[in-house]
């Protein structure tokens, strides 16, 4: 083998791992054989393009997660399941999903964008508490069951939700279990408890009832959001503090609802994810394995 060929092979070998993580990730069905409660549901997902270019998804009958894994040299062992919002009628999957997941993976945090079933879509028979929550719980169990494969620590798996997705996230932090020890389903044997929660302008925030064993919470919203969110989150923060449960709150002046993560947002609210990353580090979730 001549020197040139050898150098080319060495370069290809060094670039190969990068190619793996640069490839567009594929969805993983939460229930490959069909989600409980979706029996008989037919029809493909619907995707529309909003005025700003966002992809908006509806008609979800096969809930899934899309993994965004960090490169091994950056991985911190931390993971977040990201639930986009959309009023439980649709999912704004870019600025409240894929954009967030890409940023996190680039900073060493494995991220999984959740497509959950929609309770308020026209003619939907799904419910928030019965189906959307079940999808988040199943996602937590699934990620935990494959933690070793994905370089994740099982005690550093959290949830993040925006607007309606925030409701799904905080419900999972209020209602969890240790898994079913007697089942043959390896996923269902895993705990559904999130180790932390990030609630970004969560809908129905007055439903949040923290307990002494609540996972630590990161809260963010805009000052100009509707009162049940901008004022509601202030009350939620105080509830956590009274219980001495770890909590951090950011309310951004000049911002309203739905800021998510967009490249063109130059307001302070556009930096919330950096504050979240700092909070993860301060809370001990970003330590190297």
């Amino acid at each position: 083998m001549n020197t040139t060929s050898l150098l080319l092979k060495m370069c290809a070998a060094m670039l190969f791992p990068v190619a793996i993580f640069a490839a567009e990730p594929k969805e993983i069905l939460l229930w490959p054989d069909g989600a409980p409660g979706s029996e008989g549901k037919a029809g493909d997902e619907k995707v529309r393009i909003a005025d700003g270019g966002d992809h908006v998804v509806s008609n979800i009958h096969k809930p899934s997660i899309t993994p965004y894994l960090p490169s091994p040299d950056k991985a911190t062992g931390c993971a977040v399941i990201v639930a986009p919002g959309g009023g439980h009628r649709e999912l704004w999957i870019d600025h409240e999903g894929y954009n967030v997941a890409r940023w996190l993976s680039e900073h060493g945090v494995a991220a999984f964008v959740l497509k959950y079933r929609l309770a308020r879509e026209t003619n939907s028979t799904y419910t928030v508490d019965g189906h959307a929550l079940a999808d988040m719980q199943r996602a937590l169990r699934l990620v935990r069951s494959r933690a070793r494969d994905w370089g994740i620590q099982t005690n550093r798996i959290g949830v993040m939700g925006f607007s309606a997705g925030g409701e799904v996230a905080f419900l999972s932090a209020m209602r969890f279990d240790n898994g079913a020890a007697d089942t043959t389903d390896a996923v269902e044997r895993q705990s559904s408890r999130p180790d932390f929660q990030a609630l970004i302008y969560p809908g129905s925030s007055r439903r949040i009832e923290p307990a002494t064993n609540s996972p630590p919470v990161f809260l963010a919203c805009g000052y100009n959001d509707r009162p049940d969110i901008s004022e509601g989150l202030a009350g939620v923060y105080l509830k956590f503090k009274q219980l001495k449960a770890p909590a951090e709150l950011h309310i951004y002046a000049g911002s309203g609802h739905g800021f998510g993560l967009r490249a063109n947002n130059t307001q302070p609210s556009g930096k919330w994810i950096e504050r979240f990353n700092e909070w993860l580090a301060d809370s001990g979730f970003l330590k190297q394995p």
Side-chain angles (χ1 to χ4, degrees):
M1 182 182 294
N2 59 43
T3 304
T4 302
S5 298
L6 179 60
L7 286 172
L8 288 172
K9 286 182 178 288
M10 290 174 64
C11 288
M14 288 186 291
L15 290 171
F16 183 67
V18 176
I20 291 176
F21 290 94
E24 191 65 23
K26 295 183 179 180
E27 292 181 4
I28 300 170
L29 294 180
L30 297 181
W31 286 276
D33 297 325
S38 290
E39 296 85 357
K41 305 286 187 182
D44 296 331
E45 291 178 357
K46 297 177 182 178
V47 181
R48 68 177 178 89
I49 308 298
D51 290 342
D54 274 272
H55 292 79
V56 186
V57 183
S58 59
N59 203 48
I60 298 167
H61 302 304
K62 298 177 180 179
S64 66
I65 53 172
T66 300
Y68 286 78
L69 304 178
S71 58
D73 61 310
K74 292 183 178 179
T76 60
C78 183
V80 183
I81 298 166
V82 182
H88 296 293
R89 291 180 294 274
E90 54 192 11
L91 299 181
W92 286 67
I93 204 90
D94 290 328
H95 77 290
E96 294 178 349
Y98 299 142
N99 293 358
V100 175
R102 290 189 187 99
W103 193 98
L104 290 171
S105 67
E106 289 167 2
H107 290 77
V109 178
F112 301 83
V113 179
L114 174 67
K115 286 183 180 177
Y116 55 91
R117 288 169 286 182
L118 301 168
R120 296 180 190 143
E121 192 174 8
T122 302
N123 298 323
S124 175
T125 59
Y126 299 129
T127 65
V128 175
D129 294 47
H131 298 93
L133 173 58
D135 296 343
M136 177 62 88
Q137 292 170 328
R138 177 74 176 187
L140 283 159
R141 298 188 207 275
L142 177 57
V143 171
R144 207 160 255 131
S145 73
R146 297 187 58 180
R148 179 175 293 183
D149 298 337
W150 287 330
I152 295 167
Q153 300 294 300
T154 55
N155 61 350
R156 298 184 199 169
I157 301 172
V159 295
M160 173 185 289
F162 299 80
S163 194
E167 183 179 5
V168 177
F170 73 65
L171 286 174
S172 75
M174 292 166 55
R175 305 175 191 174
F176 49 81
D177 60 58
N178 293 325
D182 58 348
T183 182
T184 57
D185 184 343
V187 174
E188 289 298 313
R189 289 200 293 268
Q190 303 296 320
S191 167
S192 64
R193 183 185 187 275
D195 295 301
F196 57 86
Q197 51 184 319
L199 310 179
I200 316 301
Y201 45 85
S204 303
S205 60
R206 290 196 172 96
R207 295 188 68 191
I208 302 174
E209 290 296 338
T212 54
N213 65 340
S214 290
V217 64
F218 176 92
L219 304 164
C221 67
Y223 180 87
N224 295 327
D225 209 331
R226 60 182 192 257
D228 65 303
I229 294 178
S230 58
E231 297 174 15
L233 278 197
V236 167
Y237 170 79
L238 292 175
K239 288 181 181 180
F240 272 86
K241 185 168 179 58
Q242 288 163 2
L243 291 171
K244 301 188 185 303
E248 182 165 310
L249 170 64
H250 297 262
I251 299 178
Y252 291 98
S255 292
H257 194 71
F259 48 80
L261 187 63
R262 302 178 189 271
N264 61 357
N265 184 1
T266 59
Q267 294 184 321
S269 61
K271 301 291 185 181
W272 70 266
I273 199 165
E274 296 178 22
R275 306 291 81 78
F276 170 66
N277 199 49
E278 293 165 354
W279 177 80
L280 284 177
D282 289 344
S283 302
F285 292 111
L286 298 187
K287 294 178 182 176
Q288 291 289 341

